Amino acid sequence: MTKRRINDILELIREFQARHDGKFPTIRSPFPRAGGSWNAIDGALRRDAIVQCPHFVQLKAALRRRGLTPTLARLDPSYTAPRTRRRHLADILHMVKQSSEQHGGRFPLRTDPFEVRGYEDTWIAIDSALADGAIGECPLWIAHRGKMAQLGVMPSLASLNPRYQPVRRQRRSIASIKAAIVVHMTENAGRTPSQRARFPAGAKHDSWKAICKALRSGTIEHDTDWTELLARLELSTQKPSLFTLIDRYRSELQDAFALAHPAEPGARPVPCAPLRPARVEKKPAQFAALVAQLFCSPVAAGADADNDSSNHSLARTLTRSKR
């Protein structure tokens, strides 16, 4: 059995495309000549039963760089292989470079359409893979991941841009929260905020509900102020929250508010918000004791005397009626 030549196979493909409006053949397509089939050609390509000419060697090398072996479908220049393994950072950088060259140096965004030849992927999937760490281990990826860790950010598609400037996300601190509370007191006549209160307009964008959640979850800058708050709450069963912070620092907040906005002569001082009353524990009482107190009370004794007198008068009336 003689081996096929790659040039003869390409000639058959051109004949088929001329008869079918440029459509590329599959293994089930009709063969343009008698005594052959596309399935047999596909099998020969898979078994490497092709004459090893320079053209075929170059074709195999090009496919090998993409991790592929020759088949009938992969002879199509527009063939894209489905992803079955982890991405590599070198391939991603090649995609980014090719996309930038196609769009005049514009760096691709995660929402842009994927228009890189030879690859089947999306920028959103690549961005998610970088963020999740689903990248093949290599020195290039390890170095990039370590650099992002030093900056305090997660790897992403945007982090591959040479002009990338990450925004450092700093945790809230107790001092900044207290300063925001004083600003709120200034705008609201000394009243302390609740979770549903509006955040001060001049302060950094935030919300009291988010601050309360951060206090409850402990996602606060662990400095000396945080340690002091935990020490103040140690003697009670309360946990860090917006209410407990205001409760423990109420006098200091009032002093900071008075210092920043001294009262005018003759003006009434701003009343402090009343504290919640202490919870009164109800002790269980015996029902028999309550009933005994009811019957032993003076009122109950007087009522019994009245009942006796009324019974005697009723008996005398009945006796007279019988007579």
Side-chain angles (χ1 to χ4, degrees), residues 95 98-100 102-103 106 108 112-123:
M95 299 176 196
Q98 187 173 345
S99 176
S100 300
Q102 292 176 0
H103 297 85
R106 178 179 175 272
D112 289 345
F114 192 84
E115 300 174 349
V116 181
R117 292 182 179 180
Y119 297 94
E120 183 179 0
D121 216 323
T122 62
W123 294 119

Side-chain angles (χ1 to χ4, degrees), residues 148-266:
M148 294 299 104
Q150 293 177 359
L151 296 175
V153 296
M154 297 293 294
S156 62
L157 178 62
S159 67
L160 302 179
N161 191 344
R163 296 185 296 272
Y164 175 66
Q165 296 180 355
V167 179
R168 186 181 298 275
R169 296 182 178 179
Q170 296 181 352
R171 290 185 175 184
R172 302 176 182 88
S173 62
I174 299 297
S176 63
I177 296 174
K178 291 194 294 184
I181 293 174
V182 174
V183 175
H184 182 276
M185 294 172 64
T186 303
E187 297 179 355
N188 296 272
R191 291 190 297 271
T192 54
S194 63
Q195 290 192 44
R196 297 183 179 180
R198 180 177 296 179
F199 204 74
K204 188 178 180 180
H205 179 69
D206 210 335
S207 66
W208 296 115
K209 187 174 182 179
I211 289 176
C212 187
K213 287 184 177 181
L215 288 167
R216 291 181 182 276
S217 60
T219 55
I220 301 293
E221 192 70 30
H222 291 185
D223 51 6
T224 55
D225 293 334
W226 173 252
T227 305
E228 182 183 356
L229 175 62
L230 295 180
R232 295 191 180 192
L233 296 173
E234 187 177 1
L235 300 178
S236 65
T237 58
Q238 293 176 319
K239 296 182 179 180
S241 65
L242 180 62
F243 171 76
T244 55
L245 187 146
I246 295 175
D247 188 17
R248 292 299 184 273
Y249 291 95
R250 187 174 298 273
S251 60
E252 297 180 13
L253 294 173
Q254 290 290 340
D255 294 341
F257 169 72
L259 181 63
H261 303 276
E264 298 179 358

Side-chain angles (χ1 to χ4, degrees), residues 47-64:
R47 296 191 310 269
D48 199 18
I50 307 294
V51 176
Q52 301 298 316
C53 62
H55 189 184
F56 184 62
V57 172
Q58 293 176 1
L59 177 64
K60 288 197 299 182
L63 291 173
R64 192 181 299 112

